[in-house]
Amino acid sequence: MPRISVDGRIIEVPESRTILQALDETGLLMAGIDVPHYCWHPKLSIDGSCRLCQVEVEGMPKLQIACNTPVADGMAIRTRSERVCSARQGVMELLLVNHPLDCAICDQAGECKLQDYAFEYGADASRTREPRRALKKNVELGPNIVLDQERCILCRRCVRFCDEVPATGELHVMGRGDRSVIETLPDEPLANDYSMNVADLCPVGALTTRDFRFKVRVWFLDDVPGVCTGCANGCNVTIGVSKNRVYRYQPRRNDAVNDTWLCDRGRLSYKRIGSGDRLAQASLRGTASAREPVSCGTAVAAAAARLQQLTDAAGAAALVVLASPHASNEDLFTLRRFCDALGVTARGAAVVLGPQDRLLMKAEQAANAEGARRLGFGPPDALLARVRCGEAAGALVFGHDVLDPAHLGGPEALTALETLVVVDLQDSALARCADVAIPVRHAAEREGTLTNFAGLAQRVQPAVEPGWEAWTDGEVVWRLGAALGLAGFEGAYDVRSVSRELAQAVPGFSGIDLDRVGEHGLSLAGVGS
Amino acid sequence: MGPQVPLITNYLTQHFLDDAAVGLEGYERLGGYAALRRALENSPADLIELITSAGLQGRGGAGFSTGLKWSFMPADGELPKYLVCNGDESEPGSFKDRILMERGPHQLLEGILIAAWATGAEKTFLYVRGEYERPAEALERAIAEARARGIVGTNVCGSDFAHDIVVIRGAGAYICGEETGLLESLEGKKGQPRKKPPFPAQYGAFGRPTTVNNVETLCHVPHIVNNGADWFRGFGTEKSPGTTLFGVSGQIARPGLFELPLGTPLDELVFEHAGGPAADQRVKGVIPGGLSMPVLPADQLDVPMANEFLRERRTMLGTGGVMVMDERTCMVRASVVIAHFFRDESCGQCTQCREGTGWIHKLVERIERGAGVMEDITVLEDICAKMEGQTICAFADAAAWPIQGMLRHFRGEFEAHVVQRRCGFAESFEL
Amino acid sequence: MVISPETRAAIDEAIARTPQPRGALLPALHLVQAEHGHISLELAAAVAEILGIRSGDVMEVVSFYDMFHARPQPRHHVSVCTNLPCSLRGARTLLAQLEAHCGVAAGEPTADGRLVLGREECLGACANAPVLRVDGTYHEKLDSEAARQLLDGLE
Ligand SMILES: Cc1cc2nc3c(=O)[nH]c(=O)nc-3n(C[C@H](O)[C@H](O)[C@H](O)COP(=O)(O)O)c2cc1C
Ligand code: SF4
Ligand code: SF4
Ligand code: SF4
Ligand code: FES
């Protein structure tokens, strides 16, 4: 490994990297060594055009761009010398020559690299007296992205993204010199499945998402790390929250999962959190078949009573349990213990399949389908067959994935049962016809871990609180167990102790621990029991 | 049809006066392609050695040693390797390559074939500026003749060496003269120069090892092979051997193309060969090497035209395009024309170049209109300094240098425009 | 607008001469423009398909090079070099005279679509300034009378 010195600090860096790559991979770019850059991005090809990343390399007469200069053993680099700072200041001043002075109305303000660096490197925008370029504003590049050509600094990140990541190539730099602009062809809008990433990549406010534009000033947002629940990939997100409301998901870099990207559908799936179709009220179905709102505690007690009745009458074999592939490992482990204690063997998890691609999108439309499988909630086919042929008398169903045409196609088979307890995030067709319906929390409203398709356990934490009474799937199960007087469900539900127990009890989850999972997940050993 | 411009000739151009020598037969009658045959009997290494010891320097603007450049090509046999002949000549004030291609196409082909043999290239892309339709036709005709006679093709002059030459026409972008912009253009892309590393000798046209040489550079090669390094060094200066083609234009009695030894004093060129300014005029300034090069004022014309001397005057030989301005000319207006050109032609990738060329143009134009303030002049100097040596290619330097030259020698004219709030040169060309 | 078989054959020849099909893009665009006068989106798509690239790649190239036009053009292009060597020898005066003669400013086509006058960067004929380029052909050392006649002779 070559050893280089950066501002006098000696570091070992990986072989055949450029200076910026080496700093990025050693984590120093984020911590302590600041080499400002616009066109370079760790997940895109090197462009070398913004010229902001210039550094001084001993023995080279000219400044060198850190993004494209290969490291060599013994190389001495200075990132803060007067020459470097003056070159940066020059680049910044030149970038501002044509940049509109509209930070006050720009959506990017607060997370704009132009604003940040201009401040940091003291660019003096006032020296230009010339009129600025007048270009197109509010150009709808596609369904999700809006372009302001005047704000563009032509770093070409967006262009390279479309060329290299989805490889759809919708964006182009048209023209030459200072007449260059970003454009799409009239008949080729920016409409790939990953289009919104260009808004994150854009270092300035030239590309913004239609969804987020003008909704909230970014400095009012708190960032909470989370995981997208759109599919089994489990892309890492930063949840932007203000006043207990989620405004956006942005990709959180995880090289093992999603690099720095999200698919558009996943990105917009934050909307499910605050959506009007959430199940926000526990209910019982009275004799008049109208839903009677009750507290969660009442609902759990009623559910326990019905389950007790059922198992007393027909035995545990008459009950089927469908777990939710959206629930956490801890939830599912609790449910597994519940089934064991009750003697229910008919357990599974229905998963909805959707489109998948070679990038991120996985067919399984749930964040923890893999965790469910590893905890013994496999394909539900045999179990659904039992429901259909009338061998089951009751069902405890988490989520409504089972309504998918690939499974039951509708609630009828389940509503025909004597007892139907539904624990759901949404006020689904299933929840609406359940005997007992109990709301639960979204992954962004709770503690826990999710296992992605590759067996990586990732942690979620509460970013917002639901505006109604709701527990996690695990806590609902725990309380049900307690109400049924099952052994092992004593005391209050505590996710941390469940997690510790999971680690001990299930070999495939050994080592899992909420606090050990960390920012980038914990890879679980092989397949569990 | 004639050579189309007044000529002073030497070894490169002496046969240009004769229409018959344009074709293969005429060229061979004058001893053409003998150098190629001789070269094929020598090893590539020996040829590289010969060209290196002759001291031939690239005539495309940068003046890099041709022999050394050839030696960068990987010697091992992995094919394909390419040669690119740069006939994009778009440097304002330059027209030598056009005449070389139009009047001496076989001389160029001979140079190309020798260079290809020396560098192990299997194919040459001869990139001709898009506007140069006639030169491109002349070359196509010459290639067809040479192919018919077995000079280009699978057995060059009966040897085992196979070589093909393809003419590619540009389409109107100055930046395609920069060697990596040219490579991109060859590949069917926008002519935006490549960042380096990698260099063309490692990763050139279509990703293969490639040598890029200027048209004139390659035209010298057969003569060196025929006459030897010492003969070549008999022309020019110790550090800059050979002749070169000076294209003299502007406010001068006899504009033309003059083949003279490097090191010929600029005043000799301007006053003797080109006949000096109009009778009642005096020279104010001369741009010695194409629009990219800083101007020299009238009192510095004693400089020998070779880089080692021109550098002392903070300018360069460039492409040898000598532009003469007499005292009627407003240097601020000249600067507007210069700044407009570079703004127009910047490829637009690099921040400093894209934004700097635009800003310089707007600034100079405003000063010329009489709407400038003194601070503008300082800002101008500062932008030029910030564009220098910091970009993907040397275009940004080429855009900054001539403005710096104007400010160095004619700052007073800029200040006068600011103070008088107008241009004081009644007889200058209008914008 | 479709590419004629002759043009198509010439494009195929160009492809055969370059290591990668895309290397034939500039030759192909010259050929298509010679046939149709400009490179419409439709023609760009046809060229893109032949070369196995995207229309956008073609349009980027069209937008970068001065000699390619994305929109229909007047019948004739007349351009005067206005770079320094020609400016020093009367090119701008000549251009102004031609603008007056044709009754249009440089860059605007005449109303009858006959021609457009343009400025051009250095054409590499500086010793014979001023220089006029009419549809690809150079006319050097022109005085204003000769230039006017030349223009009047254009269909
Ligand atoms: C902006 C720019 C424009 C250039 N234009 C030309 C040109 O038109 N013709 C040319 O031969 N070289 C041109 N060059 C120089 C080439 O990059 C390259 O150095 C040259 O073709 C190498 O050939 P030589 O070593 O034989 O001179 C240009 C360089 C720059 C930076
Ligand atoms: S739109 Fe944004 S990302 Fe795209 S080139 Fe412009 S500044 Fe860069
Ligand atoms: S790929 Fe899956 S996990 Fe990633 S953002 Fe899209 S839906 Fe979410
Ligand atoms: S210096 Fe100018 S011309 Fe050269 S690559 Fe950069 S922007 Fe393009
Ligand atoms: S980050 Fe290196 S040049 Fe842009």
mmCIF file of all heavy atoms in Angstrom, chain B residues 2 34 46 50 96 100 115 186 192 221 226 228 258 269 274 278 290 298 300 339 369 377 379 390 406 412 415 417:
data_model
loop_
_atom_site.group_PDB
_atom_site.id
_atom_site.type_symbol
_atom_site.label_atom_id
_atom_site.label_comp_id
_atom_site.label_asym_id
_atom_site.label_seq_id
_atom_site.Cartn_x
_atom_site.Cartn_y
_atom_site.Cartn_z
ATOM 1 N N GLY B 2 -1.630 27.262 -59.472
ATOM 2 C CA GLY B 2 -0.639 27.984 -58.666
ATOM 3 C C GLY B 2 -0.793 27.773 -57.177
ATOM 4 O O GLY B 2 -1.732 27.131 -56.731
ATOM 5 N N ALA B 34 11.426 8.502 -52.286
ATOM 6 C CA ALA B 34 12.723 7.856 -52.084
ATOM 7 C C ALA B 34 12.998 7.740 -50.589
ATOM 8 O O ALA B 34 13.533 6.727 -50.110
ATOM 9 C CB ALA B 34 13.824 8.662 -52.756
ATOM 10 N N ASP B 46 16.027 3.113 -35.353
ATOM 11 C CA ASP B 46 17.007 3.991 -36.002
ATOM 12 C C ASP B 46 16.362 5.275 -36.506
ATOM 13 O O ASP B 46 16.945 6.356 -36.434
ATOM 14 C CB ASP B 46 17.668 3.264 -37.187
ATOM 15 C CG ASP B 46 18.633 2.183 -36.708
ATOM 16 O OD1 ASP B 46 18.944 2.182 -35.495
ATOM 17 O OD2 ASP B 46 19.041 1.348 -37.531
ATOM 18 N N LEU B 50 17.171 9.033 -35.592
ATOM 19 C CA LEU B 50 17.501 10.053 -36.595
ATOM 20 C C LEU B 50 16.695 11.336 -36.362
ATOM 21 O O LEU B 50 17.242 12.436 -36.349
ATOM 22 C CB LEU B 50 17.210 9.503 -38.000
ATOM 23 C CG LEU B 50 17.304 10.527 -39.147
ATOM 24 C CD1 LEU B 50 18.753 10.952 -39.371
ATOM 25 C CD2 LEU B 50 16.700 9.967 -40.428
ATOM 26 N N LYS B 96 -0.621 27.639 -43.099
ATOM 27 C CA LYS B 96 0.470 26.843 -43.662
ATOM 28 C C LYS B 96 0.044 25.414 -43.963
ATOM 29 O O LYS B 96 0.379 24.873 -45.013
ATOM 30 C CB LYS B 96 1.651 26.831 -42.697
ATOM 31 C CG LYS B 96 1.313 26.119 -41.382
ATOM 32 C CD LYS B 96 2.398 26.280 -40.332
ATOM 33 C CE LYS B 96 2.017 25.620 -39.034
ATOM 34 N NZ LYS B 96 2.283 24.197 -38.927
ATOM 35 N N LEU B 100 0.219 23.246 -47.373
ATOM 36 C CA LEU B 100 0.977 21.986 -47.406
ATOM 37 C C LEU B 100 0.105 20.822 -47.892
ATOM 38 O O LEU B 100 0.567 19.948 -48.612
ATOM 39 C CB LEU B 100 1.550 21.673 -46.013
ATOM 40 C CG LEU B 100 2.750 22.511 -45.570
ATOM 41 C CD1 LEU B 100 3.018 22.328 -44.073
ATOM 42 C CD2 LEU B 100 4.011 22.157 -46.372
ATOM 43 N N ALA B 115 6.545 8.086 -40.554
ATOM 44 C CA ALA B 115 6.216 8.160 -39.130
ATOM 45 C C ALA B 115 5.465 6.915 -38.680
ATOM 46 O O ALA B 115 5.685 6.390 -37.580
ATOM 47 C CB ALA B 115 5.377 9.407 -38.852
ATOM 48 N N LEU B 186 -12.617 12.236 -33.639
ATOM 49 C CA LEU B 186 -12.420 11.048 -34.482
ATOM 50 C C LEU B 186 -13.357 9.926 -34.073
ATOM 51 O O LEU B 186 -13.811 9.145 -34.901
ATOM 52 C CB LEU B 186 -11.010 10.496 -34.268
ATOM 53 C CG LEU B 186 -9.883 10.924 -35.166
ATOM 54 C CD1 LEU B 186 -8.646 10.115 -34.799
ATOM 55 C CD2 LEU B 186 -10.232 10.714 -36.617
ATOM 56 N N GLN B 192 -14.277 17.455 -27.083
ATOM 57 C CA GLN B 192 -13.861 17.970 -25.784
ATOM 58 C C GLN B 192 -12.601 17.263 -25.323
ATOM 59 O O GLN B 192 -12.587 16.040 -25.142
ATOM 60 C CB GLN B 192 -14.990 17.786 -24.777
ATOM 61 C CG GLN B 192 -16.195 18.622 -25.185
ATOM 62 C CD GLN B 192 -17.235 18.728 -24.107
ATOM 63 O OE1 GLN B 192 -17.631 17.728 -23.524
ATOM 64 N NE2 GLN B 192 -17.698 19.939 -23.857
ATOM 65 N N VAL B 221 9.743 15.400 -42.250
ATOM 66 C CA VAL B 221 10.356 14.092 -42.017
ATOM 67 C C VAL B 221 11.058 13.495 -43.247
ATOM 68 O O VAL B 221 12.217 13.074 -43.159
ATOM 69 C CB VAL B 221 9.318 13.123 -41.400
ATOM 70 C CG1 VAL B 221 9.813 11.687 -41.427
ATOM 71 C CG2 VAL B 221 9.002 13.549 -39.959
ATOM 72 N N ASN B 226 16.051 11.873 -46.118
ATOM 73 C CA ASN B 226 16.871 11.972 -47.336
ATOM 74 C C ASN B 226 18.237 12.586 -47.085
ATOM 75 O O ASN B 226 19.224 12.158 -47.659
ATOM 76 C CB ASN B 226 16.164 12.856 -48.375
ATOM 77 C CG ASN B 226 15.270 12.025 -49.279
ATOM 78 O OD1 ASN B 226 15.510 10.831 -49.456
ATOM 79 N ND2 ASN B 226 14.247 12.643 -49.839
ATOM 80 N N GLY B 228 19.629 13.701 -43.866
ATOM 81 C CA GLY B 228 20.343 13.490 -42.616
ATOM 82 C C GLY B 228 20.123 14.579 -41.582
ATOM 83 O O GLY B 228 19.662 15.680 -41.889
ATOM 84 N N PHE B 258 5.922 32.206 -45.968
ATOM 85 C CA PHE B 258 7.362 32.286 -46.156
ATOM 86 C C PHE B 258 8.061 31.157 -45.441
ATOM 87 O O PHE B 258 8.032 31.075 -44.203
ATOM 88 C CB PHE B 258 7.883 33.636 -45.632
ATOM 89 C CG PHE B 258 7.124 34.827 -46.188
ATOM 90 C CD1 PHE B 258 6.833 35.915 -45.383
ATOM 91 C CD2 PHE B 258 6.685 34.838 -47.510
ATOM 92 C CE1 PHE B 258 6.125 37.001 -45.879
ATOM 93 C CE2 PHE B 258 5.965 35.930 -48.018
ATOM 94 C CZ PHE B 258 5.686 37.015 -47.198
ATOM 95 N N LEU B 269 11.412 39.404 -41.211
ATOM 96 C CA LEU B 269 10.213 38.808 -41.763
ATOM 97 C C LEU B 269 9.196 39.888 -42.142
ATOM 98 O O LEU B 269 8.657 39.921 -43.250
ATOM 99 C CB LEU B 269 9.622 37.900 -40.669
ATOM 100 C CG LEU B 269 8.652 36.815 -41.020
ATOM 101 C CD1 LEU B 269 9.267 35.855 -42.013
ATOM 102 C CD2 LEU B 269 8.294 36.058 -39.729
ATOM 103 N N ALA B 274 7.945 40.597 -45.992
ATOM 104 C CA ALA B 274 6.527 40.953 -46.161
ATOM 105 C C ALA B 274 6.359 42.416 -46.574
ATOM 106 O O ALA B 274 5.233 42.909 -46.681
ATOM 107 C CB ALA B 274 5.760 40.666 -44.878
ATOM 108 N N ALA B 278 2.005 49.645 -44.757
ATOM 109 C CA ALA B 278 1.675 50.569 -45.851
ATOM 110 C C ALA B 278 2.570 51.801 -45.750
ATOM 111 O O ALA B 278 3.069 52.134 -44.665
ATOM 112 C CB ALA B 278 0.205 50.958 -45.762
ATOM 113 N N GLY B 290 0.247 33.115 -34.218
ATOM 114 C CA GLY B 290 -1.160 32.721 -34.157
ATOM 115 C C GLY B 290 -1.832 33.477 -33.018
ATOM 116 O O GLY B 290 -1.166 33.967 -32.098
ATOM 117 N N ALA B 298 6.235 47.261 -31.233
ATOM 118 C CA ALA B 298 7.137 47.588 -32.337
ATOM 119 C C ALA B 298 8.609 47.588 -31.922
ATOM 120 O O ALA B 298 9.477 47.265 -32.727
ATOM 121 C CB ALA B 298 6.757 48.942 -32.922
ATOM 122 N N GLN B 300 10.139 45.565 -30.113
ATOM 123 C CA GLN B 300 10.685 44.239 -29.761
ATOM 124 C C GLN B 300 10.731 43.303 -30.957
ATOM 125 O O GLN B 300 10.791 42.092 -30.806
ATOM 126 C CB GLN B 300 9.835 43.609 -28.652
ATOM 127 C CG GLN B 300 9.954 44.373 -27.353
ATOM 128 C CD GLN B 300 9.545 43.518 -26.152
ATOM 129 O OE1 GLN B 300 9.619 42.293 -26.196
ATOM 130 N NE2 GLN B 300 9.138 44.174 -25.086
ATOM 131 N N ALA B 339 -10.864 37.978 -27.826
ATOM 132 C CA ALA B 339 -11.676 37.429 -26.732
ATOM 133 C C ALA B 339 -12.927 36.758 -27.275
ATOM 134 O O ALA B 339 -13.363 35.720 -26.765
ATOM 135 C CB ALA B 339 -12.051 38.533 -25.751
ATOM 136 N N ARG B 369 -16.365 49.841 -25.551
ATOM 137 C CA ARG B 369 -17.520 50.738 -25.741
ATOM 138 C C ARG B 369 -17.397 52.026 -24.949
ATOM 139 O O ARG B 369 -18.222 52.917 -25.071
ATOM 140 C CB ARG B 369 -18.787 50.016 -25.250
ATOM 141 C CG ARG B 369 -19.510 49.215 -26.303
ATOM 142 C CD ARG B 369 -20.894 48.829 -25.795
ATOM 143 N NE ARG B 369 -20.838 47.684 -24.895
ATOM 144 C CZ ARG B 369 -21.289 47.672 -23.638
ATOM 145 N NH1 ARG B 369 -21.815 48.767 -23.103
ATOM 146 N NH2 ARG B 369 -21.214 46.589 -22.907
ATOM 147 N N ILE B 377 -9.793 46.667 -15.513
ATOM 148 C CA ILE B 377 -8.491 46.269 -16.069
ATOM 149 C C ILE B 377 -7.773 45.338 -15.095
ATOM 150 O O ILE B 377 -7.193 44.329 -15.492
ATOM 151 C CB ILE B 377 -7.651 47.522 -16.417
ATOM 152 C CG1 ILE B 377 -8.432 48.398 -17.410
ATOM 153 C CG2 ILE B 377 -6.298 47.114 -16.980
ATOM 154 C CD1 ILE B 377 -7.783 49.731 -17.725
ATOM 155 N N VAL B 379 -9.287 43.486 -12.864
ATOM 156 C CA VAL B 379 -10.054 42.240 -12.851
ATOM 157 C C VAL B 379 -9.648 41.379 -14.040
ATOM 158 O O VAL B 379 -9.423 40.176 -13.915
ATOM 159 C CB VAL B 379 -11.577 42.521 -12.873
ATOM 160 C CG1 VAL B 379 -12.374 41.232 -13.044
ATOM 161 C CG2 VAL B 379 -12.006 43.239 -11.601
ATOM 162 N N GLN B 390 -4.359 25.742 -15.401
ATOM 163 C CA GLN B 390 -5.229 25.053 -14.443
ATOM 164 C C GLN B 390 -6.307 24.217 -15.099
ATOM 165 O O GLN B 390 -7.216 23.757 -14.426
ATOM 166 C CB GLN B 390 -5.918 26.091 -13.549
ATOM 167 C CG GLN B 390 -4.967 26.801 -12.636
ATOM 168 C CD GLN B 390 -5.711 27.542 -11.543
ATOM 169 O OE1 GLN B 390 -6.859 27.271 -11.257
ATOM 170 N NE2 GLN B 390 -5.036 28.474 -10.920
ATOM 171 N N MET B 406 -1.618 41.952 -24.490
ATOM 172 C CA MET B 406 -2.169 43.270 -24.795
ATOM 173 C C MET B 406 -2.064 44.194 -23.578
ATOM 174 O O MET B 406 -1.724 45.362 -23.695
ATOM 175 C CB MET B 406 -3.638 43.140 -25.221
ATOM 176 C CG MET B 406 -3.820 42.541 -26.598
ATOM 177 S SD MET B 406 -3.168 43.651 -27.872
ATOM 178 C CE MET B 406 -3.680 42.798 -29.368
ATOM 179 N N GLY B 412 -2.011 51.219 -21.704
ATOM 180 C CA GLY B 412 -2.403 52.622 -21.857
ATOM 181 C C GLY B 412 -3.652 52.774 -22.708
ATOM 182 O O GLY B 412 -4.494 53.640 -22.450
ATOM 183 N N GLU B 415 -6.648 51.982 -20.623
ATOM 184 C CA GLU B 415 -6.919 53.071 -19.671
ATOM 185 C C GLU B 415 -7.528 54.275 -20.382
ATOM 186 O O GLU B 415 -8.454 54.906 -19.876
ATOM 187 C CB GLU B 415 -5.623 53.457 -18.941
ATOM 188 C CG GLU B 415 -5.206 52.366 -17.971
ATOM 189 C CD GLU B 415 -3.789 52.556 -17.414
ATOM 190 O OE1 GLU B 415 -3.062 53.447 -17.911
ATOM 191 O OE2 GLU B 415 -3.425 51.803 -16.501
ATOM 192 N N HIS B 417 -9.398 54.264 -22.983
ATOM 193 C CA HIS B 417 -10.813 53.985 -23.255
ATOM 194 C C HIS B 417 -11.659 54.257 -22.020
ATOM 195 O O HIS B 417 -12.785 54.744 -22.124
ATOM 196 C CB HIS B 417 -11.021 52.523 -23.686
ATOM 197 C CG HIS B 417 -10.728 52.262 -25.127
ATOM 198 N ND1 HIS B 417 -9.460 52.281 -25.648
ATOM 199 C CD2 HIS B 417 -11.553 51.989 -26.176
ATOM 200 C CE1 HIS B 417 -9.511 52.012 -26.948
ATOM 201 N NE2 HIS B 417 -10.767 51.830 -27.302
#
